[in-house]
Amino acid sequence: MAKKIAILGNISSLVKEENESGGEAFERNVIKRLAKQLDALLIPTIYDLWYIFNNEDLSNKIKSLSRTVNISNVIFDILDKKSFNIEYILKKYIEEIKSEGVVCLYQPDYFAPHALINTLLRAKSYKYLRKLMYGETVYLADKLKIPSIVEIHGLADISFKRLFIKFLKYKIKYKFDFNLFDYKSSIKFGLLDVLHNRITNKLTTDSNIKKILVVSRGVLDYLGIKSSEKVEVMVPANAVDEAITNYRRVENKCGYGVFFARLIPFKGVLEIPYIIKYLKKLNVDLKIKILGKFYDEYTKKKFYDIASELNVEQNIEYLGFVPKQKLYEIVSKAKIMIYPSHSDAFSLSILESIALGTPVIAYDIAGPKSVFNGLPSVIFSKEFDVYELAEKTSKILNLNDFNYTNLLTNQETERFLKQHTSWDNVTIAIYNELRKTCYIS
């Protein structure tokens, strides 16, 4: 008889038509494949459960999905009761896991503390701020005394300690007219640094957490883990759909650049106008198409204020959020992807770009650098150094056709893409870890 596993994740990602983040794309692709391969019970995180509870259309889609997939009955229980009570939810999760005969827990995207904290505050479940300090999986594993596996993506990739002094140095050097941290966010991310340290210690010492999977070696740097027998760096850790290669284009490019991501300061969107400024000083007149949704009106206004101040508005074309197919068409025709992100554990944006045949220039942060370093199609520049990034961009744009094409058609890039254009490959790697750790067939 097959042993049952519980997968604790963002179950709503299975029914969303568009994925807003790499984490959601990962969960959707991995969870649906594991649910077919394993006898699995799908349990939503507290954050995801709150999202489903407050979205009637989404809850109806989850109900329809439950006809073919084994989804936790707790979702439908609280929907019927019209009550979101954390104590009741956790009690029911424990009862359900026991009654279903679950032998192992797996969380494909180990929790974002701020998302869980915000949910607990909205639900007025203050006493669970401490009880769920290390997330639902650790809480449930310790209560049930069953082996558990967590997979870490973006935990601790934004660090106040790592970024603040470095940002100030370059803010002074390049006269950045924005702050990466204001007073409020400085306190928030400073406290999160402390929490991340405690989480790292808990995960590495808790006897019920048997395995810590990470999507890149850079995650270990973010977490401060030097060595642990529990840790496994997953390869391949992420993928893009194989169909993306139908859009791949390495020749006859259009003369524009692209930037696509969540449009927040930590993704470097406010540095784009400065990069354009220095490109123009290097006699490179590049238009950059920006795709994505601004996180808030303040960031959007600040972006356009900086662009106006630097007189680079004519070099920016904001396209907003576009469907995947349209995104692929635009990126595949671009000459270069400019990606000054400060927050990535892996970066699906970089992977998508090189799969589409567009080279990338990015900051040398630990996550992406540990994944893509050594590929001619991905060039790294010092973080926050907008002039160096502009200079390296200029060199790529000035390559002749033969050398430009060689950035994308070399053995290293082709081998890498073969490995990372199949979600089945990613799921198989995870399945093998589950099989070894949880002794499932």
Side-chain angles (χ1 to χ4, degrees), residues 105-276:
L105 296 177
Y106 166 59
Q107 187 166 6
D109 189 358
Y110 181 64
F111 87 123
H114 62 279
L116 178 57
I117 290 168
N118 288 339
T119 305
L120 294 174
L121 292 174
R122 287 173 188 151
K124 298 181 180 178
S125 299
Y126 307 118
K127 72 177 181 179
Y128 280 93
L129 288 169
R130 173 172 281 279
K131 291 182 179 182
L132 291 173
M133 181 187 298
Y134 305 113
E136 304 96 315
T137 296
V138 173
Y139 176 87
L140 293 171
D142 287 348
K143 286 286 185 183
L144 292 158
K145 306 299 179 190
I146 58 175
S148 300
I149 298 172
V150 297
E151 186 153 1
I152 299 177
H153 294 248
L155 184 71
D157 63 342
I158 299 175
S159 166
F160 180 76
K161 181 180 178 181
R162 179 180 73 82
L163 286 172
F164 184 66
I165 299 300
K166 186 186 289 188
F167 171 73
L168 286 181
K169 171 187 170 183
Y170 285 101
K171 177 180 171 71
I172 294 167
K173 181 175 182 178
Y174 291 119
K175 298 181 172 60
F176 290 152
D177 187 23
F178 67 92
N179 289 310
L180 201 59
F181 298 95
D182 57 20
Y183 178 74
K184 188 176 179 180
S185 64
S186 295
I187 295 172
K188 172 187 170 181
F189 285 103
L191 291 173
L192 282 173
D193 280 354
V194 175
L195 178 57
H196 292 152
N197 288 337
R198 295 187 67 173
I199 289 170
T200 298
N201 183 62
K202 176 67 173 176
L203 292 178
T204 52
T205 58
D206 191 311
S207 61
N208 296 307
I209 303 299
K210 302 298 184 183
K211 206 76 177 176
I212 304 167
L213 311 181
V214 295
V215 297
S216 71
R217 291 196 177 278
V219 172
L220 302 182
D221 290 342
Y222 297 148
L223 295 173
I225 297 176
K226 289 189 168 49
S227 65
S228 172
E229 292 181 359
K230 289 185 177 185
V231 172
E232 187 70 34
V233 180
M234 301 304 288
V235 179
N238 252 314
V240 288
D241 292 325
E242 194 171 353
I244 197 174
T245 57
N246 294 331
Y247 296 87
R248 184 171 171 81
R249 177 172 172 170
V250 298
E251 296 177 326
N252 301 316
K253 293 281 196 172
C254 300
Y256 61 80
V258 288
F259 169 76
F260 63 102
R262 287 176 293 133
L263 302 185
I264 59 175
F266 288 115
K267 288 293 184 181
V269 65
L270 297 181
E271 284 144 81
I272 293 290
Y274 295 94
I275 293 164
I276 296 172

Side-chain angles (χ1 to χ4, degrees), residues 85-98:
N85 182 285
I86 298 293
E87 186 170 2
Y88 178 81
I89 289 164
L90 292 172
K91 178 186 173 185
K92 286 296 180 181
Y93 274 173
I94 290 169
E95 289 176 1
E96 188 173 39
I97 289 168
K98 285 180 177 179

